[in-house]
Structure formats: structure tokens, C-alpha cells
Amino acid sequence: MDFALSDEHRMLKELVARFVRDELMPLEAGVLAREADGEGLGIGAAEHARLDEVSRSLGLWGLDAPEDVGGVDLPAVAMVGVNEELGRTITPYTLPPDSPNLRMLAATVNERQREAYLAPYVRGETISAIGISEPGAGADPAGMLTRADRDGEDWVINGRKTWISRAAEADFTILMAVTDREKGARGGMSAFLVDKGTPGFNVLRRIPMIGGQATYEVALEDCRVEGWKLLGEEGNGFAPMQLRLGTRRIEMASWSIGMAQRALDMICEYAPQRKTFGLPLSERQAIQWWVADAATRIHAARLMTYDCAWKLDQGRDVRVEISMIKAYATEMAWEVVDRAMQTFGAMGMTKELPLQLMASRLRTMRIYDGPTEVHKWVVARNLMGSRR
């Protein structure tokens, strides 16, 4: 068994690491200052445009997009390395386009949708969002109440969605709705492409989240969508949605590894310098054990994530593995970052270090795309169900 990346994928990982080090990390001081002043988590338009220019020139756009729309079509294994490096920085920048919605679109678009939605998305010309969760239906889509009814050639959508990232600025939203009330979410769920400004697509409010992040609540009130904007087959929206969620969960595991590795590096750099009661922290057994445990668990998470990605690239069913790595990696990184904050003492509690934003991000990731407890339940259900 070869656990090493191919030369091509290793060089890509190193390229992304240099991009993060040279372009993203220098912006962290400004990100921290703006978040501390209550301005939210973000970078300026000029900074974003410059990062777009640099990353495009380096060939870092469309890495996992299909080749027929200008992408590189890299496998999931390569993207683990890319996202681990991106996870090391708190500067909020995504290499266009965002993979989860990309994967869902690529798996379902027809030719008209490919030209109207997928191709511009890969070129970085549009921003997308996805509306799945509802006030009464989060981790369990079976509780979804938003419905879409036929009206001639069109669909009319009514309902409410919440926790939608980028809903206010997205050029289009992939919206999940029930089209067969008897079958409900399982067999009666469909996906629709809803353009910004569509009458009846109403952004109700911006919801501030911890760590300077934000999501949105949206109301669908007789929102009319043209028939050709049904994404995929009617009633078969659940599987593509799961593909999208699985992609994000592998990303989250990879980002978690990157955050944990940076936190560990910070401990290893700081502990020999800081003395307490006459000895450097690096000679305290508590710190030594934290370092050893962190290194071991990061190694385990990295191997688990590459294993899951490799199996995905082989076309194998990885639903259990995805739940394993999403739960394990986010919880692991949460604990490693927390121990880094403890090691830094009072300085670890400030908004001058990136640790607090890493902790906030991980805290949300332990909920987003399925809480840890739900993923553990999925693993247990599959294990015990297989013994019946």
C-alpha cells in the first residue's frame, strides 16, 4: 500500500502551501483586526481581486472541475492535500469554484444548464449558494417542508430555508424542495436553480454566527422557476445533494487537519521559549503529552481522510468513511486548537492570535453539514445494522 501522493499531486500541494504562505497569511493581521472591530470575517474587494489574479496565474482555478468546462478534473485524493494547506490560514479565501456545489452541478446539469450555470461557475464569474436546511429540518431532510408544485411548464416554490451561506450575494441558489408529498424527502425531493432577484426569493435576515461568520434565512413565497431550471431528475434530488454534502465533509476533514497542524506547529515553536517556574513549557509533561497526542491524532486523521478520498476515486461507497472522518477530524482539531490556546495562556485568549478564529470555525464545523453526534449515529447504525 502506497500512502504517498503522486509527484504531480505532491507538487500541487506544495504550490498551494506557497500560495497560502506568501499570499494568504500576510493578510491575517488585517482579518484579525477587522473581526476584532466587529466588521465580520472577510477581506477587501481589492485584496480578493488580487488573490484571484495570483491564484489564476498559478493554475489553481477549477482544480476539480470537469475538463470540458475548463477544469483540471483532479481526483479527491489531490484535493485533500490542497484543502489541508488552505486550512492552515484564517484568511477566508476559496479557490474558485467552491467544490461542493460544483460537484453537484457537474453530476446533474443538462447541456443548457452546463452553459448557463456550470461553465460560468467554473470560470469564477458567478457565486452560488445552496438551500437545504429549514427551521424544523436540519440534519434530517425527512422533515423538509418546502414544496415545489408544477404550474404549466414552470414550478412554484413555497417554504422557508435557513443557515444559507452567501444567500444575499449569490448569483444563483441550488434550492431543495419536495415535489412529491407522498414520498417526501426520500424519493420526492428535487433540486432547482433559482437566480438572484427571482420574485418570491426573499432574503429575510442576515444571521451573525460566531467567529465573524454569517448565514441567512430565506422565504420562498410563490417563487416561480422556469421548468428548465429543474436540476437533474424530478424526485431524484437526494443523491446529488448527498454528493454535495460528502464533498464538503471531506473538505472539512482536510481543513481540520490543516488547522490542527498549524496549532501544533505554534505550540512547538512557543513552548521552548516560554518559561514558568524556572523551566520552559516544552519540559512540562502536560505539554509534551499534548504535543504527542496531537501529532498522533493528526497523523491518524490524515491517513483516514486520504483513505476515504482514494476509495471515493475508485467509485466505492464511502458514506460510512465520510461520517467517520468528518466527526473525527473536526473533534480532533477542536481539541488540538483548544490545547494550543491553553499553552499560550492569556495570549491564547486574545484576538491577536489566529487561534480564536480557528476555534470558532471548528466549533461551527462540528455542527455544519451534520453534527458530530449524527455522524456517529450513522456509523453505528451501519455497523449494527449489518449484523442483523
Side-chain angles (χ1 to χ4, degrees):
M1 298 175 67
D2 187 356
F3 289 97
L5 287 174
S6 69
D7 288 343
E8 176 189 1
H9 298 161
R10 177 183 52 78
M11 288 189 291
L12 172 63
K13 185 176 185 293
E14 292 171 353
L15 177 61
V16 176
R18 289 197 299 272
F19 175 72
V20 169
R21 182 193 64 216
D22 297 342
E23 305 296 338
L24 299 185
M25 285 189 175
L27 300 179
E28 290 189 342
V31 171
L32 287 166
R34 285 189 290 271
E35 193 277 328
D37 289 340
E39 298 176 16
L41 187 67
I43 55 177
E47 291 174 331
H48 200 286
R50 185 184 62 80
L51 291 174
D52 280 349
E53 181 179 352
V54 173
S55 59
R56 185 196 287 271
S57 70
L58 292 173
L60 296 178
W61 281 31
L63 293 177
D64 56 346
E67 292 183 357
D68 61 4
V69 285
V72 185
D73 201 19
L74 288 176
V77 163
M79 295 305 296
V80 170
V82 168
N83 286 306
E84 178 182 339
E85 296 302 333
L86 290 173
R88 292 177 64 91
T89 180
I90 59 164
T91 299
Y93 179 75
T94 300
L95 294 171
D98 193 30
S99 292
N101 289 354
L102 165 72
R103 292 283 190 175
M104 184 173 181
L105 288 170
T108 52
V109 292
N110 56 36
E111 286 306 311
R112 185 175 180 182
Q113 294 165 347
R114 180 181 298 273
E115 293 303 316
Y117 290 94
L118 180 59
Y121 190 50
V122 171
R123 293 194 296 265
E125 298 169 0
T126 57
I127 299 171
S128 73
I130 189 163
I132 302 174
S133 295
E134 300 182 1
D140 182 10
M144 187 177 296
L145 297 177
T146 296
R147 69 181 191 276
D149 299 302
R150 283 190 180 276
D151 185 12
E153 296 295 320
D154 298 342
W155 292 89
V156 177
I157 306 176
N158 285 279
R160 185 163 294 198
K161 296 292 183 180
T162 192
W163 317 125
I164 305 178
S165 301
R166 302 183 300 275
E169 61 264 30
D171 297 289
F172 67 93
T173 298
I174 302 172
L175 192 77
M176 306 305 301
V178 174
T179 49
D180 186 326
R181 299 184 192 181
E182 291 186 3
K183 293 181 180 178
R186 309 285 179 154
M189 179 193 295
S190 302
F192 298 88
L193 296 163
V194 183
D195 296 325
K196 184 177 183 178
T198 299
F201 183 86
N202 303 312
V203 179
L204 298 182
R205 64 185 178 118
R206 180 180 182 273
I207 308 171
M209 313 293 283
I210 62 174
Q213 303 174 74
T215 60
Y216 296 87
E217 184 176 3
V218 173
L220 292 308
E221 299 172 344
D222 292 329
C223 180
R224 183 174 293 272
V225 177
E226 296 173 87
W228 71 273
K229 295 180 181 179
L230 171 70
L231 183 61
E233 299 178 0
E234 179 184 344
N236 290 332
F238 186 80
M241 182 188 73
Q242 288 298 111
L243 171 63
R244 187 260 174 207
L245 291 171
T247 302
R248 178 67 85 203
R249 289 160 181 164
I250 295 177
E251 276 189 336
M252 285 184 169
S254 306
W255 294 336
S256 297
I257 295 165
M259 281 186 272
Q261 185 64 61
R262 184 174 182 189
L264 175 58
D265 292 344
M266 291 175 69
I267 294 174
C268 291
E269 181 180 356
Y270 177 74
Q273 303 174 27
R274 172 65 167 156
K275 287 187 177 181
T276 62
F277 303 100
L279 287 175
L281 289 179
S282 57
E283 295 187 26
R284 303 292 183 185
Q285 188 180 66
I287 305 299
Q288 292 172 349
W289 283 17
W290 288 354
V291 166
D293 287 346
T296 302
R297 295 176 68 192
I298 291 169
H299 182 55
R302 184 178 286 121
L303 292 179
M304 288 170 63
T305 304
Y306 274 118
D307 172 74
C308 178
W310 180 82
K311 289 177 179 175
L312 180 64
D313 289 333
Q314 300 301 310
R316 294 166 63 173
D317 184 349
V318 292
R319 285 174 291 181
V320 172
E321 285 88 342
I322 283 176
S323 284
M324 286 178 174
I325 64 171
K326 199 277 184 179
Y328 182 81
T330 54
E331 295 292 338
M332 174 276 295
W334 166 258
E335 186 169 331
V336 172
V337 170
D338 183 70
R339 286 178 168 175
M341 295 174 77
Q342 193 77 2
T343 301
F344 276 82
M347 181 56 70
M349 301 300 102
T350 70
K351 290 198 169 187
E352 296 180 2
L353 292 183
L355 292 170
Q356 52 91 14
L357 284 183
M358 293 161 64
S360 293
R361 187 183 186 194
L362 286 162
R363 189 63 191 85
T364 60
M365 284 165 52
R366 293 169 64 211
I367 293 290
Y368 290 170
D369 290 81
T372 295
E373 294 74 19
V374 170
H375 285 291
K376 288 184 176 181
W377 169 69
V378 168
V379 174
R381 180 191 62 186
N382 278 272
L383 288 173
M384 291 189 285
S386 65
R387 299 176 185 274
R388 292 176 182 173

